[in-house]
Amino acid sequence: MKHRWRTGAAGVLAALMMTTSAGAVGAAIEIDGTSLDAGEAWIENGTSYVTLAAFSRETGRSLSWDGTSAQVDGGGLDLEATPGAIYVWSNERGLYVAETVRVVNGRAVLPLRVLADASGSSLTWDGSTAALSTWGAVPPQADYDQEDLYWLSRIISAESRGEPLVGQIAVGNVVLNRTESGQFPDTVKEVVFDSQYAVQFTPVANGTIYLEPAASSVLAAKLCLEGAEVAGDSLYFFAPAVSAGSWITQNRTYFAAIGSHHFYR
């Protein structure tokens, strides 16, 4: 079961590895062979952006606005993007958008790599052109291991309920990082209930692990299972407001403060 959540839609690895320079001279963005003009697609700080209007038009999908979010429908894709959010919903999948869902000149905009993941398309970069190809692509549907989702959402909720979404994602990252480390058990449930050297998570000791998770924590768990990473390779965290974290601070390497927790490698 290791690494299951690190895999993605066809072409997503190419999307993640594609690097471009900010404002690359002469750089172009294409969708299914059509070059988009600069008002619809551009490269900024190494990230390729496309308006949802251009993506929908070029891939034969419909675009609508319900007053709160933009909706892209058709071709097996049901995508919802809310301006300012750090995620989109795509066929009930939660996809992380580190740059946030943006609105530029009144139009909703997403990174090209997010649209590639959502639509199951291939994304390539040849040094001058970022090209998205949706031909033959099948948009992935939500397919989460239910046990992973069950326990991951509960430990996130119990440890970070009420925190910003990015802080909840960070807690989930630690749990998944542990499943990939030889120092800890291999599954989410086993990591949560690991007690080899002592109970690892306070919610297991006080029983709050069994409480119904907050909706935001379920979202955070899905984002983590889809590959969202904000805590790097951190394996430990603690909240300075309630714990000194003495062993962690003396034995592990500090990564960052995210939400109310400090994270350590």
Side-chain angles (χ1 to χ4, degrees):
M1 186 163 68
K2 283 189 176 183
H3 307 291
R4 176 187 179 280
W5 38 84
R6 306 303 183 197
T7 62
V12 71
L13 292 181
L16 294 175
M17 292 187 291
M18 185 185 74
T19 57
T20 59
S21 60
V25 177
I29 296 176
E30 294 181 353
I31 295 180
D32 291 341
T34 299
S35 184
L36 305 179
D37 65 44
E40 296 183 315
W42 61 90
I43 296 172
E44 180 182 333
N45 297 324
T47 297
S48 299
Y49 291 94
V50 174
T51 66
L52 290 185
F55 171 78
S56 300
R57 182 189 68 236
E58 297 301 328
T59 62
R61 294 181 166 94
S62 64
L63 175 65
S64 60
W65 174 258
D66 66 4
T68 302
S69 61
Q71 316 278 338
V72 176
D73 295 292
L77 178 63
D78 179 8
L79 183 145
E80 178 181 335
T82 302
I86 61 171
Y87 68 93
V88 297
W89 283 115
S90 176
N91 292 349
E92 299 186 12
R93 301 167 63 209
L95 303 183
Y96 183 57
V97 186
E99 303 85 353
T100 75
V101 179
R102 298 171 59 184
V103 174
V104 179
N105 296 325
R107 293 177 293 184
V109 175
L110 282 177
L112 197 56
R113 71 172 189 279
V114 174
L115 291 170
D117 191 353
S119 60
S121 306
S122 64
L123 180 57
T124 58
W125 169 253
D126 65 6
S128 63
T129 302
L132 181 73
S133 175
T134 68
W135 291 316
V138 178
Q141 304 292 315
D143 182 26
Y144 299 107
D145 181 290
Q146 291 305 299
E147 181 173 85
D148 286 349
L149 182 60
Y150 183 93
W151 291 113
L152 188 59
S153 61
R154 276 160 176 73
I155 192 63
I156 290 173
S157 186
E159 287 282 7
S160 56
R161 183 185 293 265
E163 287 195 30
L165 183 58
V166 67
Q168 297 183 58
I169 293 171
V171 168
N173 285 166
V174 168
V175 175
L176 295 187
N177 287 345
R178 287 191 176 196
T179 68
E180 296 184 330
S181 168
Q183 304 172 55
F184 300 94
D186 291 345
T187 72
V188 171
K189 182 179 180 180
E190 289 172 337
V191 163
V192 169
F193 290 97
D194 181 20
S195 60
Q196 181 175 0
Y197 299 108
V199 173
Q200 296 293 299
F201 299 100
T202 300
V204 172
N206 63 25
T208 54
I209 185 65
Y210 299 105
L211 297 178
E212 189 71 17
S216 61
S217 298
V218 176
L219 169 59
K222 290 183 175 182
L223 291 168
C224 289
L225 292 170
E226 293 287 354
E229 293 184 355
V230 300
D233 56 357
S234 298
L235 293 171
Y236 298 87
F237 65 84
F238 72 96
V242 298
S243 171
S246 300
W247 182 90
I248 296 176
T249 59
Q250 293 171 12
N251 293 278
R252 311 303 298 192
T253 302
Y254 177 74
F255 176 76
I258 306 174
S260 65
H261 292 99
H262 287 187
F263 291 81
Y264 288 74
R265 295 185 172 95

